[in-house]
Amino acid sequence: MVMLGPDEQFTVLSLSGDKPKRANVIKAICLLLGPDFFTDIITIETADHARLQLQLSYNWHFDVKSPVDPADATALFSVPDFVGDSCKAIASRVRGAVASVQFDDFHKVCTTLSPLSFWVIHVFIKSCDRDRAR
């Protein structure tokens, strides 16, 4: 139970949810520290215009040093929809990385990964760029 002072009020959080992510799906008045992951489905396009849908899962945690500085705590909750913003930012990076690779090269890497790892794909794309530059 929470008792509010006369000058306090609840703030309703509107977070993205569902797969693929949509804005304002989750309405909550408290933000718990778990679950510590979220999943999204994104559409990507390779350099040769092959369109694919990827299901990506991300682990996350709040990185707050102890003892908690009030300024850090305020900054932590200043982003209205951290789920939607995070998914959009990561999806943008994945799309940008995959857009520079041919479908066959992307497919060869994806079939060897279990589960699909963006960071491994990113390293692979950088190595392909280095090979093309030679």
Side-chain angles (χ1 to χ4, degrees):
M1 176 178 267
V2 176
M3 181 176 277
L4 298 176
D7 59 335
E8 296 177 321
Q9 62 183 357
F10 284 111
T11 301
V12 177
L13 300 172
S14 295
L15 301 174
S16 295
D18 214 357
K19 290 186 250 178
K21 289 290 178 259
R22 293 179 306 141
N24 303 321
V25 172
I26 300 170
K27 304 271 190 212
I29 59 170
C30 68
L31 182 60
L32 303 176
L33 296 180
D36 59 352
F37 69 94
F38 39 81
T39 302
D40 195 12
I41 297 174
I42 63 169
T43 302
I44 60 169
E45 188 171 334
T46 60
D48 52 353
H49 304 292
R51 288 183 161 235
L52 307 164
Q53 275 195 332
L54 297 179
Q55 179 171 321
L56 304 174
S57 294
Y58 318 108
N59 289 329
W60 60 270
H61 71 277
F62 292 115
D63 189 16
V64 179
K65 294 175 180 65
S66 186
V68 177
D69 179 29
D72 289 342
T74 303
L76 186 64
F77 295 102
S78 66
V79 177
D81 182 9
F82 75 94
V83 173
D85 292 348
S86 300
C87 285
K88 286 177 194 172
I90 295 171
S92 175
R93 288 183 178 189
V94 171
R95 283 188 191 102
V98 173
S100 64
V101 176
Q102 299 293 324
F103 172 75
D104 289 337
D105 295 335
F106 180 77
H107 188 263
K108 286 176 192 171
V109 171
C110 290
T111 57
T112 62
L113 298 176
S114 180
L116 178 64
S117 169
F118 165 67
W119 304 116
V120 172
I121 292 170
H122 186 68
V123 169
F124 168 75
I125 291 168
K126 292 297 181 192
S127 69
C128 286
D129 290 344
R130 247 186 287 120
D131 292 344
R132 279 189 221 128
R134 289 182 187 166

